Every structure is written in structure tokens, then in C-alpha cells.
């Protein structure tokens, strides 16, 4: 199984994004390239196979694509196609059409993936061998039997991930499922809940940051700051519930220190919160 991965730079944000066929005029494809607002999606106008098309003016590096907070079913597929020119003609990447979303390992009595409360967990990601001369890309989504009669997603992330040499040691990752709902009591004592949003928080303690990783991690923390969105996966490629619950689009909300731990090794603690 691969080590922890963090997207370094979301190059979808610098691409020209178009769609074929055209998506909803009120929920256009360009919403996929904007900072996350949970209520703002890109939505298809039918269940025809949908191409989300990206183009750049210069060569880009990428080894992953992620689509977040979507309404895809377990029958949906995602295919990533990459090209060395800006016109989607000279192919250099084809993942083939792969299952976009799986409920494998979930407790399906509780984890009803069509419920609104589950949607923040519904992300699809593909990892592939790095391409360094990417100038255009197609994310092709198909879900012909979707009961909503449309497909939609909240955010598109494309780029090159950073993978740590040494994973966090046992017991050094905290997953907190946060619920902003407010609980109180009515005058007669009835418990009342003002239902609000849910999200996840990962606190990751990296006790063994190899010297080879140090410059990359420092650059990553500086670039992302607390303003830019990224992608993190604690168990990339693990599949099932383990991967699903431990991956997310997020921001760094705290990175208190970086200090030498022993010769050739540094320690760092980073907290990520789901967007």
C-alpha cells in the first residue's frame, strides 16, 4: 500500500475548463475550478457521457485526478485522458473507464451513500504514472442510470501529489468527524437539535520526515498556507471504506512546528480540515 499523499498544486485552477456536452447554465462546468462552496456544483443537463475538458498554455505535471462531493452511483465510471497538446489530440494518458465510486467495506445499513449527510464522503480519485508534458486533459464521467437524472460534482483536482517516505507511526493520525449541529433544551426539557454541517479533521503527526522530504514538505506548507485547497489520502489505493473515510479535499488549518528529531530526520504535525 502506498504512503500518505498530499496534492502539491491543483492545476485545475489554472486551466481553461470547458464541457462537452455543455452543462447547466446556472451550474456551469467552471464551478469545478472555483474554491469550494458546498452548495455550488457543476451539473449536467442529462445522463449522456460527460467530458470535463481542461487545457493549459504550457506543459504541466500530474499523476492524479480527483472529483469531490458528487452524486455518482456505484455504477458510474471515470476515465482520465491526457494529451501533450492543448487541443486534446496527441494522447499520452488513458486510465480506461474505471469504477468511480464503490461502497465496498461500508456498513450499508448505516452508510446510505445517497443520503445528504454522506455526500461529503463521496469523492472519486485516480492515481496514475506521472506525466510531465500535459497540456490538455479530459475527465470523462458516465452514470447512465443515475436516479437524479443528472450528474453533478463540487470540485475538480488535478496535479502531482507528494508522497512521504515514512508514514506517520502507529497512533499518530487522528480522524475526527466534526458535527456543527447545536444541541439545546426547550422550555419543557425536550432536547432540540439545530442540524448543521458535518466535516472531517485529520491531525497527522509526522515523526520521521526524511531529509529527502524536508524541502518538499516545507515548500508544500508555505505554498498551501491556510488559503489554498488540497487533497490528502492517508491510505491511497487501499480501496473500500478505509480509503473513502481517510481521503478528502481540505485545507491546512494548523502546522505548529518543524524540528529536527534525530540525525537526518525531522518531525512535523499538520492538521487538515475538510472543505
Amino acid at each position: 500500500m502506498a504512503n500518505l499523499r498530499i496534492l502539491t498544486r491543483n492545476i485545475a485552477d489554472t486551466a481553461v475548463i470547458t464541457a462537452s456536452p455543455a452543462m447547466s447554465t446556472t451550474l456551469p462546468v467552471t464551478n469545478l475550478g472555483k474554491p469550494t462552496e458546498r452548495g455550488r456544483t457543476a451539473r449536467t443537463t442529462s445522463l449522456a457521457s460527460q467530458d470535463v475538458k481542461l487545457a493549459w498554455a504550457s506543459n504541466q505535471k500530474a499523476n492524479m485526478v480527483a472529483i469531490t462531493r458528487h452524486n455518482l452511483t456505484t455504477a458510474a465510471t471515470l476515465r482520465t485522458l491526457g494529451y501533450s497538446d492543448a487541443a486534446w489530440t496527441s494522447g499520452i494518458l488513458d486510465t480506461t473507464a474505471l469504477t468511480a465510486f464503490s461502497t465496498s467495506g461500508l456498513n450499508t445499513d448505516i452508510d446510505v451513500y445517497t443520503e445528504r449527510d454522506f455526500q461529503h464522503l463521496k469523492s472519486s480519485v485516480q492515481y496514475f504514472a506521472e506525466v510531465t508534458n500535459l497540456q490538455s486533459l479530459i475527465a470523462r464521467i458516465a452514470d447512465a442510470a443515475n436516479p437524479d437524472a443528472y450528474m453533478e460534482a463540487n470540485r475538480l483536482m488535478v496535479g502531482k501529489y507528494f508522497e512521504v517516505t515514512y508514514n506517520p507511526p502507529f497512533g499518530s493520525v487522528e480522524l475526527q468527524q466534526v458535527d456543527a449541529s447545536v444541541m439545546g433544551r426547550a422550555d419543557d426539557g425536550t432536547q432540540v437539535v439545530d442540524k448543521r454541517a458535518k466535516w472531517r479533521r485529520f491531525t497527522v503527526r509526522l515523526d520521521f520526515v526524511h531529509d529527502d522530504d524536508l524541502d518538499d514538505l516545507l515548500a508544500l506548507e508555505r505554498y498551501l498556507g491556510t488559503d489554498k485547497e488540497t487533497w490528502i489520502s492517508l491510505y491511497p489505493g487501499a480501496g473500500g471504506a478505509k480509503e473513502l473515510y481517510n481521503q478528502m479535499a481540505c485545507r491546512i488549518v494548523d502546522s505548529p512546528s518543524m524540528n529536527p528529531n534525530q540525525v537526518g530526520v525531522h518531525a512535523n504535525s499538520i492538521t487538515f480540515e475538510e472543505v
Side-chain angles (χ1 to χ4, degrees), residues 64-91:
M64 66 160 286
V65 168
I67 299 174
T68 72
R69 202 171 287 108
H70 55 63
N71 74 329
L72 301 179
T73 70
T74 54
T77 60
L78 170 63
R79 181 180 183 182
T80 302
L81 299 144
Y83 304 87
S84 61
D85 67 310
W88 306 282
T89 55
S90 301

Side-chain angles (χ1 to χ4, degrees), residues 13 21-22 65 100 108 123 134 142 144 153 180 186 191 198 212 215 218 247 262 268:
D13 291 352
V65 168
T108 52
S123 295
L134 184 71
Q191 192 178 67
K198 296 180 180 181
D212 291 345
D215 290 348
L218 288 171
Q247 65 180 13
Q262 50 188 289
N268 190 206

